[in-house]
């Protein structure tokens, strides 16, 4: 049993430093724009606390008033994946590159036109962008109608789950969720995203550590996550938090995919699985 009530699961606002995860302690995380540190000083009065939060990153639980900003950050983060998947993702798809080369050569053989052949790569990239946009928008619509439509119901009420926001200068700048799994005693790190205007300040790492601390405090055996991120920065972040890659697959159906022949040619993703073992079962 992890906690006796949903309220107890998400009671504290704690983020462990790299080697200071101490179950049972209560530390409010206060992080400057250039560095991160945990405060164990006596509680500040409301006026002092308000001043601190203006120029520090503060991790707290989701509140109803955060809903608009949380959805905006999530939406913008997912929309960034359209060009990343269409163009950057092609670098990881050697088989697809080969198919596109063959199609380009076939265009020249059939048309005997150098001009049309030169246009073929542009047409292929345009098709990749179209299908990437189509699938990711379908996925975004699915997410905004399920867990991101009712964060309290999906993450704040169930025992073993929670949703946090990072606040800087009085505004929400990052989000992350934890969803507990009783079947294998793990917690899944989900929905991590940081406002693009506030990246490079270590906010994502603080959010990730908050999930790890939550997992330790609630006696989970491991933290897991799955990602289709193309940018290497995301994978380096997970590894810096202590996660180890446990597998990957190119046969993964994202919600919103139809798996039509054209979609399979012009949209590919690689699904990576990560795990951080906290204790042996």
């Amino acid at each position: 049993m992890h906690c006796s009530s949903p309220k107890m699961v998400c009671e504290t606002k704690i983020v462990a430093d790299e080697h200071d995860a101490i179950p049972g302690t209560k530390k409010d995380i206060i992080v400057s724009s250039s560095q991160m540190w945990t405060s164990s000083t006596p509680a500040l009065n409301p006026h002092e606390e308000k001043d601190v939060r203006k120029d520090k990153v503060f991790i707290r639980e989701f509140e109803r008033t955060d809903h608009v900003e949380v959805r905006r950050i999530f939406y913008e983060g997912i929309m960034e994946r359209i060009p990343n998947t269409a163009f950057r993702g092609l670098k990881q798809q050697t088989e697809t590159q080969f198919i596109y080369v063959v199609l380009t050569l076939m265009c020249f053989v059939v048309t005997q036109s150098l001009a049309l052949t030169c246009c073929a790569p542009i047409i292929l990239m345009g098709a990749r962008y179209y299908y990437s946009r189509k699938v990711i928008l379908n996925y975004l619509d699915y997410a905004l109608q399920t867990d991101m439509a009712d964060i309290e119901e999906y993450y704040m009420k169930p025992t073993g789950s929670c949703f946090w926001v990072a606040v800087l200068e009085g505004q929400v700048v990052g989000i992350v969720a934890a969803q507990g799994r009783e079947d294998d005693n793990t917690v899944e790190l989900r929905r991590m995203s940081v406002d693009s205007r506030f990246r490079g300040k270590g906010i994502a790492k603080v959010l990730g550590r908050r999930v790890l601390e939550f997992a330790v405090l609630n006696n989970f055996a491991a933290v897991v996550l799955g990602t289709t991120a193309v940018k290497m920065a995301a994978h380096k972040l997970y590894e810096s938090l202590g996660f180890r890659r446990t597998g990957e697959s190119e046969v993964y159906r994202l919600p919103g995919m139809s798996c039509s022949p054209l979609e399979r040619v012009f949209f590919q993703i690689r699904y990576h699985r990560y795990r951080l073992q906290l204790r042996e079962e």
Side-chain angles (χ1 to χ4, degrees):
M1 181 180 294
H2 305 306
C3 277
S4 59
S5 70
K7 183 178 180 181
M8 289 181 66
V9 171
C10 303
E11 180 77 13
T12 57
K13 305 184 185 72
I14 304 175
V15 174
D17 207 342
E18 289 191 22
H19 306 291
D20 296 332
I22 306 176
T25 60
K26 293 186 178 181
K27 301 179 183 178
D28 281 357
I29 187 70
I30 301 174
V31 187
S32 69
S33 297
S34 58
Q35 65 181 38
M36 296 176 291
W37 52 279
T38 54
S39 172
S40 57
T41 57
L44 301 174
N45 66 50
H47 297 292
E48 291 175 328
E49 186 174 341
K50 185 175 180 181
D51 291 337
V52 167
R53 294 184 189 184
K54 285 182 179 179
D55 57 355
K56 309 293 181 183
V57 175
F58 183 76
I59 309 298
R60 63 168 172 77
E61 295 172 15
F62 169 83
E63 299 172 356
R64 287 187 179 182
T65 54
D66 301 325
H67 197 254
V68 173
E69 281 300 289
V70 165
R71 284 170 64 95
R72 177 189 65 80
I73 292 171
F74 176 72
Y75 177 88
E76 292 177 356
I78 295 297
M79 290 298 288
E80 288 178 4
R81 296 195 177 190
I82 296 175
N84 288 338
T85 303
F87 306 128
R88 287 191 181 188
L90 184 58
K91 296 178 181 180
Q92 303 172 1
Q93 305 290 336
T94 54
E95 291 184 5
T96 303
Q97 293 176 29
F98 177 75
I99 291 172
Y100 291 175
V101 170
V102 170
L103 290 174
T104 302
L105 293 175
M106 286 177 62
C107 178
F108 179 75
V109 171
V110 172
T111 65
Q112 295 295 309
S113 170
L114 187 59
L116 288 175
T117 303
C118 290
C119 289
I122 298 174
I123 295 171
L124 292 171
M125 290 301 99
R128 280 188 67 84
Y129 183 85
Y130 170 80
Y131 279 98
S132 294
R133 188 174 189 277
K134 177 177 178 289
V135 172
I136 289 173
L137 284 178
N138 287 341
Y139 168 73
L140 185 60
D141 184 59
Y142 168 82
L144 291 176
Q145 291 185 32
T146 53
D147 63 306
M148 296 304 291
D150 194 345
I151 292 170
E152 288 188 323
E153 187 67 29
Y154 274 81
Y155 296 110
M156 303 306 293
K157 291 182 180 180
T159 301
S161 299
C162 199
F163 196 104
W164 299 272
V165 297
V167 180
L168 177 64
E169 298 175 355
Q171 67 180 101
V172 176
V173 298
I175 61 174
V176 73
Q179 189 169 48
R181 299 175 174 177
E182 292 187 359
D183 56 338
D184 60 358
N185 196 31
T186 65
V187 63
E188 182 181 5
L189 186 155
R190 307 190 71 204
R191 304 309 190 200
M192 181 187 285
S193 188
V194 175
D195 190 320
S196 59
R197 298 169 297 175
F198 298 92
R199 290 175 188 166
K201 301 178 183 293
I203 296 173
K205 180 170 277 191
V206 178
L207 287 166
R209 287 177 178 168
R210 181 63 190 89
V211 174
L212 303 187
E213 182 83 3
F214 175 82
V216 170
L217 291 173
N218 287 281
N219 299 316
F220 285 103
V223 182
V224 298
L225 68 88
T227 181
T228 58
V230 174
K231 290 184 177 180
M232 288 305 300
H235 298 278
K236 290 181 179 178
L237 168 65
Y238 302 139
E239 291 170 358
S240 71
L241 287 168
F243 285 90
R244 296 292 177 265
R245 191 175 302 183
T246 57
E248 62 181 51
S249 173
E250 294 185 10
V251 184
Y252 177 73
R253 184 166 184 171
L254 195 70
M257 290 179 67
S258 65
C259 293
S260 66
L262 284 175
E263 190 175 274
R264 287 197 293 268
V265 172
F266 295 112
F267 179 82
Q268 302 87 25
I269 54 174
R270 183 172 293 173
Y271 183 75
H272 303 268
R273 294 182 297 276
Y274 284 88
R275 184 182 183 92
L276 195 163
Q277 194 69 33
L278 299 174
R279 60 185 177 81
E280 295 299 326
E281 286 291 83

